[in-house]
Amino acid sequence: MISVENEGSGEADVIQEDQGLLQRFVDYIKQQKTVVLEDLAAEFGLKVQDAINRVNGLEAMGRISGVMDDRGKFIYISPEEMQAVADYLQTKGRVSIADLAKKSNEFIDLSARQTEVAASET
């Protein structure tokens, strides 16, 4: 005779664990601001291409926004920073790429952020 205990709890645990890992992935990117994709992959035990695909997927879902450069880095841009750039463009109208790059350095903070826990303890 076969008996079943705890029906379906294994699948729910896996889904919850995957959601936790995905949130940790997003939080890591947001805290680091500038992430070397190779380091991101190593941090989460992924292949570099899988990390790139995950970043692209999160961008497509609207969970993160940023810029991936040709040297294998992803720069996270917060909604507030994106809005500051948009406001500048609306105010100035037509601008050169050089001017936009110079102004973007003022709007976008590239330094890593303290974690919420560490910031609240100080």
Side-chain angles (χ1 to χ4, degrees):
M1 183 149 124
I2 300 173
S3 66
V4 177
E5 298 177 22
N6 299 332
E7 268 184 82
S9 65
E11 187 175 320
D13 290 344
V14 168
I15 291 171
Q16 187 174 7
E17 186 177 315
D18 285 348
Q19 288 295 339
L21 183 60
L22 185 62
Q23 187 59 48
R24 213 168 59 85
F25 191 86
V26 169
D27 291 343
Y28 182 85
I29 291 170
K30 288 180 177 181
Q31 289 168 1
Q32 296 299 315
K33 288 290 287 179
T34 302
V35 179
V36 176
L37 294 167
E38 195 171 286
D39 295 345
L40 179 65
E43 177 74 21
F44 289 91
L46 300 170
K47 294 179 182 174
V48 175
Q49 189 59 51
D50 291 339
I52 292 169
N53 293 343
R54 187 167 289 181
V55 167
N56 288 332
L58 289 167
E59 271 194 296
M61 292 179 354
R63 298 275 307 264
I64 59 173
S65 59
V67 178
M68 200 172 298
D69 74 6
D70 57 349
R71 295 174 296 181
K73 290 183 182 177
F74 179 78
I75 301 167
Y76 169 73
I77 302 174
S78 72
E80 296 81 14
E81 292 166 335
M82 194 75 79
Q83 187 61 50
V85 172
D87 291 345
Y88 173 74
L89 290 173
Q90 286 179 337
T91 302
K92 287 290 189 179
R94 194 172 188 167
V95 296
S96 70
I97 291 177
D99 287 342
L100 181 59
K102 190 185 309 178
K103 273 305 214 187
S104 292
N105 286 333
E106 295 174 21
F107 299 135
I108 300 171
D109 179 18
L110 298 178
S111 59
R113 297 170 188 242
Q114 297 277 334
T115 60
E116 296 297 327
V117 174
S120 65
E121 289 177 354
T122 55

